[in-house]
């Protein structure tokens, strides 16, 4: 096989509860992931070494050196297999870069699946999940997709049943936000308030809304503990969220560490109308309608 293509989705966090800062610098999380129909494609081709090139929107913002997470994923897979392999990775970007939608993690998951197939390794999903967990907290979810709750640093996953399709609009911001800087700002704000930070717990009402497919109920229970920090770093996101609410969004939230803003719509028609309203009013330069849940990294 000389070429393999994998499609891998973006995610939105419908609940992101962040516990106190641990001694190792991480936080315990309750992180409810939901995969949505904005996709990157990762192509793996036969090659002597492991390299990456990126095209599509935001391609100029993606590193192509050893810091690229897809390269790191391919090398980790080869190391796990105990042999020297090569692959030319070509990433077609549609997921925002540093947008809080796990674009880099998605590409890493895509590289794992593509290279596993290209190299004929035949490794089971459990092996790929183990490698993914060492690469980053969001990478395992990008492999499985759907809806799932992540605990620990977010990498310990349990799939959640979802009773229907949810429709979303994502307002894409100019420029990105560093996940590390948002967590640091979250810690700073918490230290300044001197308030006790509770242990993160799963919202049972949110789980019920997901299970029954009730978009109205889900909209009232969206939550993100990183949102105050993201808004502090990017104050212009606050009017974007408010505009979405004014145009009928059932819920409005910063996606992950931001700066992408996510709006839950009633149905597909409402999502299209909401995306149109956000762009024509100048609230967002780009707004994309999508739906979820969708499958994780998939060979195509």
């Amino acid at each position: 096989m000389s070429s393999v293509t994998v499609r891998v989705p973006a995610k939105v966090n419908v609940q992101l509860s962040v516990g106190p800062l641990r001694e190792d610098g991480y936080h315990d999380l309750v992180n409810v992931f939901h995969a949505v129909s904005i996709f990157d494609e990762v192509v793996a081709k036969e090659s002597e070494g492991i390299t990456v090139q990126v095209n599509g929107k935001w391609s100029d913002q993606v590193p192509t050196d050893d810091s690229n997470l897809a390269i790191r994923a391919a090398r980790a897979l080869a190391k796990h297999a105990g042999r020297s392999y090569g692959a030319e990775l070509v990433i077609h970007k549609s997921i925002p870069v540093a947008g809080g939608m796990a674009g880099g993690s998605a590409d890493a998951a895509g590289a794992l699946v593509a290279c596993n197939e290209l190299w004929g390794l035949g490794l089971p999903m459990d092996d790929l999940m183990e490698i993914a967990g060492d690469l980053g907290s969001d990478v395992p979810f990008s492999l499985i997709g759907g809806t799932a709750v992540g605990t620990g640093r977010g990498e310990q996953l349990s799939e959640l049943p979802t009773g229907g399709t949810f429709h979303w609009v994502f307002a894409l911001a100019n420029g990105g936000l560093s996940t590390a800087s948002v967590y640091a700002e979250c810690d700073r704000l918490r230290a300044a308030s001197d308030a006790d930070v509770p242990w993160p717990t799963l919202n049972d009402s949110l789980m019920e809304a997901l299970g029954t497919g009730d978009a109205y109920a889900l909209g009232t229970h969206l939550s993100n503990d990183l949102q105050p920090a993201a808004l502090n770093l990017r104050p212009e996101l606050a009017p974007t969220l408010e505009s979405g609410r004014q145009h009928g969004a059932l819920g409005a939230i910063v996606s992950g560490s931001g700066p992408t803003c996510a709006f839950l719509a009633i149905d597909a028609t409402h999502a299209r109308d909401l995306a149109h309203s956000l762009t024509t009013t100048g609230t967002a330069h780009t707004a994309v309608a999508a739906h979820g849940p969708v499958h994780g990294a998939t060979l195509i």
Side-chain angles (χ1 to χ4, degrees), residues 20 88 107 131 146 152 163 202 221 283 297:
E88 178 189 357
D107 297 339
I131 298 167
L202 186 60
H221 293 292
T283 303

Side-chain angles (χ1 to χ4, degrees), residues 4-90:
V4 175
T5 301
V6 173
R7 187 177 72 172
V8 62
K11 60 82 180 168
V12 60
N13 305 91
V14 295
Q15 177 186 347
L16 179 48
S17 297
V18 180
L21 182 65
R22 304 189 320 201
E23 289 185 1
D24 63 2
Y26 289 101
H27 303 76
D28 285 292
L29 305 176
V30 169
N31 195 353
V32 181
F33 298 99
H34 183 71
V36 296
S37 59
I38 301 172
F39 300 99
D40 281 359
E41 287 188 0
V42 179
V43 180
K45 304 177 182 179
E46 290 183 348
S47 179
E48 291 187 2
I50 296 176
T51 61
V52 67
Q53 57 178 288
V54 185
N55 56 45
K57 199 164 188 178
W58 303 290
S59 59
D60 60 333
Q61 300 175 36
V62 181
T64 55
D65 58 15
D66 289 352
S67 67
N68 184 284
L69 200 55
I71 285 184
R72 290 170 53 196
R75 288 180 175 166
L77 181 64
K79 182 178 180 180
H80 181 89
R83 288 186 56 187
S84 177
Y85 291 97
E88 178 189 357
L89 302 172
V90 182

Side-chain angles (χ1 to χ4, degrees), residues 1 3-6 42-46 50 70 73-83 85-89 107-129 131-132 143 297-299:
M1 188 173 296
S3 178
V4 175
T5 301
V6 173
V42 179
V43 180
K45 304 177 182 179
E46 290 183 348
I50 296 176
R75 288 180 175 166
L77 181 64
K79 182 178 180 180
H80 181 89
R83 288 186 56 187
Y85 291 97
E88 178 189 357
L89 302 172
D107 297 339
L112 288 175
V113 173
C115 290
N116 187 43
E117 185 75 11
L118 180 73
W119 297 336
L121 301 179
L123 293 176
M125 179 60 78
D126 286 350
D127 284 30
L128 298 184
M129 291 287 283
I131 298 167
L143 281 173
T298 303
L299 289 163

Side-chain angles (χ1 to χ4, degrees), residues 138-180:
D138 290 346
V139 183
F141 176 73
S142 295
L143 281 173
I144 65 170
T147 305
V149 58
T151 54
R153 291 183 289 109
E155 82 287 0
Q156 300 169 23
L157 292 176
S158 300
E159 295 184 58
L160 294 177
T162 305
T165 298
F166 295 98
H167 296 274
W168 299 87
V169 173
F170 297 95
L172 310 183
N174 282 315
L177 269 175
S178 156
T179 298

Side-chain angles (χ1 to χ4, degrees), residues 197 206 233 290 294:
V197 178
L206 179 134
L233 295 172
V294 298

